[in-house]
Every structure is written in C-alpha cells, then in structure tokens.
Amino acid sequence: MNINKMDLNLLVYLDVLLREKNVTRAANQLNITQPAMSNGLKRLRDLLNDPILVRTSDGMVPTERARELAPVVRGVLLTLEETLQPNKDFEPLNSQRVFRIMASDYAASTLIPALLKKMRVQAPHTSLDIMTPSDVTFHDVENGKVDMAINRFDQLPQSFHQKTVWRDSFSCLINAQNPVLKNFNLDSYLKAQHIWVSKTGFGVGVGMDPKDVQKLGWVDEALAKLGKQRSISVFTRNYHVAMHLAVGIDLIATLPSRAAKLYDKDPTMAIMDPPFAIPSIELKMIWSPLLHQDASHIWFRRLIVETADELN
C-alpha cells in the first residue's frame, strides 16, 4: 500500500468502524452521513485489500487483518491527538473547570472528602462530577470524556496511564452486640452469616452465584485456598449498604480496612482483623493519554497523589 494515498480521516473511520462494528453507528459517532461512512469503508477496503468488516448472522465482524490493525490504529490516533493538543497554563484559583471522575463508593468515601477539602482551598471555583462504575466505559476514559477513573481494576488497556493510589488490607465490621465477638476465630467466622460486597472495573454488574467462588473475589478466594466457604446472606455492590447492614443486623461485613475505619469511633460497632489471611487490594487511578500533558489534569493528578500520601 502506498502511504501517500492514505487520508488521515480514513484512519479515524477505521478506528470507529472497528469499535462500533456498524456503519450507521460509526457515522453517527463522527457526525457524518451513512453514505459518507460507507464510501470511507469502500476506500479502506481498496487500500488495504481486505474486507475489514464481514456481514454474518451475528452482525458485522472484523476480519483477522482488521483485528490486528485495531490496537495499532488506536495507538497512532491517541499519540497524534496527545501531540497536537495545545498546552495551556492552569491557574487553580481562577479556574471554573469541572473535573469528572469515576470512583467506586469505596474510593468516594475514603479519598474524595479529603481531596475535595484541598480543592476548596486551592481551586475554590472548580467542581467535581463524581460518577459510578456503571456510568462509565473504558472508551469514555480513553477518549478523555472522563478525567480520571479511581477503582480496583483487574485488567486495563495498555494505552492508559495509571498510578497506584494506595494498598489496603481487609477488616471485619461487626455489630458490637454480635455473639461472634465472644470468641472470634475462623470457626465462628464461618458459622456466622455474611455480607458480600465488591465492585471493580467498569460497567453494570450481574447477578452473583454463591457457588461460583472464582467470581466472588478476594475474601472468598482466600477461604477457598483453605478449603473453606462462608455463608453469604446479602450480595451488594455498594460499600455503604454493606456497612449499614452490618450496623443493624448480626451480619459480618469483610471489606477494605479504610472503609471499615469510617466506623472506628462508633461505639456500637467493632472492627476486627479477619481470622485468616487475605491479600491486600490496590486502588489505582487511570487516565487517557489525551489528557496526560494537560496542565489542569497534571495539577489534579498531583493533588490526588498528595491527598493519598497524607491519608497514608
């Protein structure tokens, strides 16, 4: 292929087509007409000597060649956008910027209050738009629509920038009147009823199966290695719900220690170390390469790191 024949717009078309796998949706994404996108697909097929998208009973499916090109094209476009972005100075005291972040309620309750306190002093006219994992996709972060995602992530696209905010151990949050506290050990832990709570990554959650240990997460995987299994009465994706349930009922909530310590001054609650070893978790912040050189984003990242360091 002669690179001189390649229109840069065709790379943009190819990127969107391979993500949407639909000509009409790709056209809508770029605010062009469907015939214009169809013409772009035809030109791409001629240039690459490949169908790119093939119609099947499951819809349009990328060819093997297209799947190989997808991450390369995405990387090229992201690098180009990042390079061409204007570099403007950021004045926190005068800025009215809205910082949009995706944060789990664990991160929102343990990190965000201290972060907001700093923002009110250093950048009093800025705002925070806090979204849940269900509100955001990887594409939203990658395209710079969301400034930052703060959560625990099992897998991440290689194009993202990332930094560890902190590591956290686990604690058991238990009503102080719960009889299990009289002799809190592994046996009494297993005989009790439990609240399961977890939410990592992005997207809407699905129903849980108590028998599917592989999907239950750190606590239950740690128990499975001991050949043990706890009895779970409630499944929730919200840490505050889990903590409130532990306050009012004789259920045990095993959750990250920073969340449990929100109740460390509540005389009706007890915070105990789990009676078995659970690997620590890692809270990360991730962001798009499109925002990496943005002056306001650099300031915001530094403020998050500074806040986390002080909390540590």
Side-chain angles (χ1 to χ4, degrees):
M1 184 187 73
N2 188 345
I3 192 67
N4 293 327
K5 295 181 180 180
M6 174 61 79
D7 180 348
L8 181 59
N9 284 327
L10 291 180
L11 285 182
V12 177
Y13 289 5
L14 179 59
D15 176 55
V16 177
L17 281 166
L18 294 180
R19 282 192 279 122
E20 296 293 338
K21 301 179 181 64
N22 180 284
V23 172
T24 301
R25 288 201 302 268
N28 291 338
Q29 183 80 9
L30 294 178
N31 293 316
I32 62 175
T33 64
Q34 193 268 347
M37 180 59 75
S38 295
N39 182 59
L41 177 58
K42 181 180 182 301
R43 291 172 63 192
L44 283 165
R45 284 168 168 167
D46 292 341
L47 281 169
L48 299 174
N49 193 28
D50 186 270
I52 299 174
L53 291 172
V54 178
R55 191 176 301 280
T56 70
S57 58
D58 295 324
M60 300 290 277
V61 176
T63 63
E64 183 65 28
R65 172 68 170 147
R67 284 195 291 268
E68 293 174 354
L69 285 172
V72 178
V73 172
R74 179 97 284 249
V76 168
L77 291 175
L78 286 173
T79 300
L80 186 60
E81 288 188 56
E82 181 181 355
T83 303
L84 296 179
Q85 276 191 343
N87 189 14
K88 299 179 181 178
D89 291 334
F90 178 65
E91 298 179 357
L93 280 174
N94 300 320
S95 175
Q96 296 183 5
R97 192 190 193 290
V98 177
F99 291 97
R100 292 183 173 85
I101 64 174
M102 182 282 277
S104 64
D105 69 315
Y106 161 63
S109 59
T110 55
L111 173 68
I112 301 304
L115 174 65
L116 184 58
K117 187 175 180 180
K118 282 184 170 294
M119 290 180 68
R120 297 302 302 148
V121 173
Q122 298 185 30
H125 306 297
T126 59
S127 303
L128 266 183
D129 182 6
I130 305 171
M131 292 170 279
T132 70
S134 300
D135 297 328
V136 176
T137 67
F138 275 132
H139 289 314
D140 293 329
V141 178
E142 188 176 50
N143 293 334
K145 295 179 180 178
V146 177
D147 290 292
M148 192 79 67
I150 306 174
N151 203 348
R152 296 172 289 150
F153 300 99
D154 295 327
Q155 292 181 330
L156 288 171
Q158 292 184 350
S159 61
F160 284 9
H161 292 280
Q162 59 179 283
K163 183 174 180 59
T164 297
V165 178
W166 61 49
R167 301 190 70 88
D168 200 358
S169 60
F170 280 83
S171 294
C172 297
L173 184 65
I174 309 171
N175 188 298
Q177 301 301 315
N178 193 325
V180 75
L181 292 173
K182 293 178 181 178
N183 186 23
F184 190 62
N185 54 35
L186 182 57
D187 286 339
S188 60
Y189 179 92
L190 295 174
K191 289 177 182 177
Q193 297 296 308
H194 295 267
I195 304 165
W196 177 96
V197 57
S198 181
K199 181 61 179 170
T200 62
F202 293 86
V204 178
V206 296
M208 296 303 301
D209 181 354
K211 297 179 181 178
D212 194 349
V213 174
Q214 293 296 323
K215 293 183 179 180
L216 290 179
W218 295 270
V219 176
D220 297 278
E221 287 179 4
L223 283 172
K225 291 179 180 178
L226 301 175
K228 306 293 184 181
Q229 186 173 358
R230 60 178 174 164
S231 178
I232 300 172
S233 295
V234 180
F235 291 89
T236 178
R237 282 81 181 155
N238 188 293
Y239 285 93
H240 279 290
V241 169
M243 290 185 283
H244 281 302
L245 290 175
V247 167
I249 314 176
D250 59 344
L251 297 173
I252 298 176
T254 306
L255 65 172
S257 297
R258 290 176 185 269
K261 287 177 182 176
L262 294 174
Y263 285 82
D264 62 355
K265 295 181 180 179
D266 187 337
T268 68
M269 300 303 296
I271 300 173
M272 305 291 290
D273 291 332
F276 58 99
I278 307 173
S280 62
I281 60 169
E282 187 175 28
L283 185 70
K284 287 186 176 182
M285 62 181 194
I286 64 172
W287 63 95
S288 168
L290 296 179
L291 297 170
H292 189 61
Q293 302 299 333
D294 180 83
S296 63
H297 201 272
I298 292 172
W299 173 86
F300 189 52
R301 296 199 305 267
R302 288 174 177 169
L303 195 66
I304 293 174
V305 172
E306 179 184 315
T307 303
D309 287 345
E310 290 180 4
L311 290 173
N312 284 333

